[in-house]
Every structure is written in C-alpha cells, then in structure tokens.
Amino acid sequence: QVQLVESGGGLVQAGDSLRLSCAASGRTFSSRTMGWFRQAPGKEREFVACIRWSDDNTYYADSVKGRFTISRDKSKNTVYLQMNTLKPEETAVYYCAAAERYYYATRPSQYNYWGQGTQVTVSS
C-alpha cells in the first residue's frame, strides 16, 4: 500500500502562483510514476502532469505546459506541483496519484493509489 497526502491548496487570485505537495509513505518503491490530476465540480478528473520515479522524466497536459512544473524530492518521498499564472477555470480539487505498472500514465485508471485531494480556488 502507498499512502498519499496532498497539501498546499488554497484561495488565490488569477495570475498568482501556488505550490502543491504530495507526501508519499508505505510501499513507495513500488511506484513507477507519480501524477497530478484535478477535478472541477461536474467534470471528469483531468490529467495535469506526471513524473517518472526512475529518471524524473516529466509529461504535462497541453493546458498547463510552460506554467506548471512537477518535481520530486527523493529524500522526502514528496512530489510537488508548482503552478504559475493560475486561471479561474483551473479551480478544482487537485489529486496526487501513484501508478505501479506504468512508466508513463495520463489516465486515472492507470493509477493505483490516490490522495484525498486539496482544493485550489482561483478568483478572477
């Protein structure tokens, strides 16, 4: 089992920045990819970014490229999502997830473990 705990969400204004953190514990060695997703009310869960545990290779949704950065601290088993120039339409609950089988994963079904989510609200 892998436990994931997100933090860092909050209320910001459009154009502001925010950094989310995801602390992993348990069988973290079994995870091959860590990802961030978001889900707005009434919408499906949407892929944001992922990072490969073995070599820090990253991949982003087109909508966040150039503004968001996913990174990790091996010593802390923590993954971060730096979000810059936030937009009101990016208001959502942001989830951290861990995939055991895939080195590259953009679909929620590819992930085995999920955090409880952290709310990000961007006001206009």
Side-chain angles (χ1 to χ4, degrees), residues 2-3 9-10 12 34 38 47 53 55 59 62 64 72 77-79 85 87 91-92 97 100-101 105-106 108 111:
V2 176
Q3 294 78 42
V12 296
M34 299 291 293
R38 61 190 179 192
F47 169 76
W53 208 247
D55 60 6
Y59 185 76
D62 287 343
V64 306
R72 68 182 179 110
N77 277 339
T78 299
V79 176
T85 321
K87 305 174 182 179
T91 293
E100 290 186 324
R101 294 183 58 193
T106 62
Y111 287 81

Side-chain angles (χ1 to χ4, degrees), residues 8-86:
L11 172 63
V12 296
Q13 293 187 334
D16 284 351
S17 298
L18 205 58
R19 190 178 80 156
L20 305 182
S21 300
C22 173
S25 60
R27 289 170 46 93
T28 57
F29 58 87
S30 68
S31 299
R32 291 180 173 172
T33 300
M34 299 291 293
W36 285 98
F37 288 76
R38 61 190 179 192
Q39 188 166 20
K43 294 189 176 181
E44 293 187 353
R45 195 163 294 192
E46 175 190 27
F47 169 76
V48 175
C50 65
I51 185 167
R52 202 155 59 190
W53 208 247
S54 60
D55 60 6
D56 286 346
N57 192 36
T58 59
Y59 185 76
Y60 298 91
D62 287 343
S63 59
V64 306
K65 279 182 184 176
R67 297 186 299 118
F68 288 16
T69 302
I70 187 172
S71 62
R72 68 182 179 110
D73 185 329
K74 289 183 182 180
S75 65
K76 297 181 179 179
N77 277 339
T78 299
V79 176
Y80 304 98
L81 184 68
Q82 176 67 43
M83 305 185 293
N84 298 329
T85 321
L86 281 161

